[in-house]
Amino acid sequence: MSSPRLIAGVSPTPTDPIEKDRSRKRSTINDIARLANVSKKTVSRVINESPFVKEETRLRVNAIIREVGFEPDPQARGLAFRRSFLIGMIYDNPTPQYVVNMQQGILDAMRGTSYGLLVHPCERTSPTYLSDLRGFIERQKLFGVILTPSISEDERMVKMLREFECHYVRIASVMLDKPSTMVVTHDADGAAEAAHYLAELGHERIAHISGPPSFRSAHERRRGFREALAQRGVKLRPSFDREGNYTFDSGIAAARELLALKPRPTAIFAGNDEMAAGVYKVAHELGIDIPRQLSVIGFDDSATALRLWPVLTSVRLPVREMGKLATDKLFGRQAKKKPAEPELSEVIPKLIIRESTAAPSE
């Protein structure tokens, strides 16, 4: 019997099992399962980065996938799992920078995976809000959803996701669900730090512009701020307490009312940086110097804080990190803790002191 002929550019018929599979036109998931000596379901779990696979098995399956050049068909994967390989980010936040930072964090966590991101804005006050979201989730058959405030605070939305058996992670200022589905931001603690700092500077006429009542974060920031002032013997006067809606224009409207008072406040804590920017505009119009005549603190420490002059003191909430944490949790990639400990992801706000705050001049 003659030996296999070597044709230019073509190797002899491979005898190694992996080489045989490499020589085929296209390897299948069944081929990977056979070569790795595992079930097809296990291969699927490895491909989809499930946490329920032993690390030794994951490494072996991934090595064979690389060796044979196997590339999963996204459409076939979606059909097999009756899910698309899409992550939904659902939001109703009126602050553009917050939304952009959250998207960046989610995309950071998705890098290197075969998942895509669908961003879905909505309006909680709309009469078709829930039906619109139901249609969105049904059509897209999402793998999972990141719920940002204030959507994350809506129990009707969470109930709907459970009905669809759709994975979700909620980002919220307080604990609202089991630890495995939460990223908690502790907004009250950040606001309390702002209050303590203003009191330390010697301010007593301190005002607050809160976010909209439909946001739990607005209530938590106001609560933390008010309670910390009380600990310092300073009362948040009703006339110094104004409601905004996390927008620049609402900051302007509230600041015009506050800075028209006699005596006016010597410091204003705005519920976010957008509203703080509105305070700056009114102060400039009235010839009020920041920080000599008026100290201003914002919340979020967004890019807006660095674009104002003087540069804004703000409570830093790492929104991009929050998006990444939530997505890692959705993929089951959160840091492992002892079995007895809850799988809680949390971020701690921190006051970043800059040029917009000083001791009162009067």
Side-chain angles (χ1 to χ4, degrees), residues 232-246:
R232 293 281 184 160
V234 179
K235 184 178 180 181
L236 179 60
R237 308 178 191 180
S239 60
F240 283 178
D241 194 1
R242 288 293 187 276
E243 182 183 299
N245 62 10
Y246 283 156

Side-chain angles (χ1 to χ4, degrees), residues 176-195:
L176 299 173
D177 209 326
K178 56 187 178 183
S180 60
T181 66
M182 289 295 308
V183 173
V184 180
T185 58
H186 301 288
D187 293 43
D189 293 346
E193 193 176 353

Side-chain angles (χ1 to χ4, degrees), residues 65-100:
I65 286 172
R66 288 192 300 272
E67 193 70 25
V68 303
F70 175 69
E71 294 183 3
D73 179 354
Q75 185 175 8
R77 291 171 69 196
L79 289 171
F81 287 87
R82 295 182 182 178
R83 294 279 181 201
S84 68
F85 284 81
L86 294 171
I87 304 298
M89 172 186 153
I90 302 177
Y91 73 92
D92 66 339
N93 197 303
T95 309
Q97 191 62 54
Y98 181 98
V99 174
V100 169

Side-chain angles (χ1 to χ4, degrees), residues 31 62 132 138 191 214 242 271:
D31 298 325
N62 278 327
D132 290 346
E138 281 181 324
S214 59
R242 288 293 187 276

